[in-house]
Amino acid sequence: MFDRGPNVGVEVITKDGFVLSNNVQIQDPLVLLNGSAFLWRVPHDALAYGKKEPFDLDAFKIFEVAAPKPELILFGTGKDFVPLPQEVRQYFYNLGIQVDQMNTKNAAATYNVLAEEGRRIALALLPTGSSKQQ
């Protein structure tokens, strides 16, 4: 396996954001990819129930140029589980990346374990203040 250096993980989840293992505090949606953190330019309510606008797939362009590509991306959908739109799952399928989705707390914990095992994994998190809109 290649040594990619220490992976950045999620240490603390707050209502508005995250504290990473390198002590950086982020109060926006977040992508962890290949051991590094990136801001994810997506509205906090991007996965809200009843949202009619199509998902902006340009938010995932980084995955087209990432090397190595992750084998799996975990989506943390906020406080509650919200299914991903079909076009998002299809986008990652076309890139050869498996998709799993769960609430943000579980996604962060799963990412930390799999990254520690050396798996090629990515994480896309919405803050836990992002939840179902009814």
Side-chain angles (χ1 to χ4, degrees):
M1 229 180 252
F2 298 107
D3 182 16
R4 292 168 292 183
N7 280 318
V8 174
V10 179
E11 290 290 320
V12 178
I13 298 173
T14 67
K15 180 181 179 198
D16 298 323
F18 315 96
V19 179
L20 304 180
S21 58
N22 59 2
N23 293 322
V24 172
Q25 295 182 10
I26 304 214
Q27 294 187 335
D28 286 304
L30 169 72
V31 168
L32 298 180
L33 174 64
N34 292 340
S36 298
F38 302 90
L39 292 179
W40 180 22
R41 300 222 180 256
V42 64
H44 288 245
D45 69 343
L47 298 174
Y49 280 111
K51 189 165 175 76
K52 302 290 187 218
E53 303 89 43
F55 206 91
D56 182 10
L57 296 177
D58 286 343
F60 303 117
K61 291 292 185 183
I62 190 171
F63 291 95
E64 294 178 17
V65 297
K69 286 205 186 327
E71 59 191 60
L72 170 68
I73 182 169
L74 297 171
F75 278 89
T77 61
K79 181 180 176 188
D80 302 300
F81 168 79
V82 180
L84 287 173
Q86 176 61 31
E87 67 264 18
V88 173
R89 291 191 306 272
Q90 186 64 46
Y91 176 85
F92 283 99
Y93 174 80
N94 291 342
L95 292 175
I97 301 172
Q98 296 178 24
V99 174
D100 200 356
Q101 55 208 358
M102 54 195 77
N103 68 36
T104 289
K105 180 181 174 185
N106 289 328
T110 302
Y111 171 85
N112 287 342
V113 169
L114 294 175
E116 186 67 28
E117 291 176 355
R119 300 271 306 270
R120 288 191 340 250
I121 186 163
L123 178 66
L125 291 178
L126 292 174
T128 57
S130 304
S131 62
K132 293 181 190 178
Q133 305 285 324
Q134 296 196 8

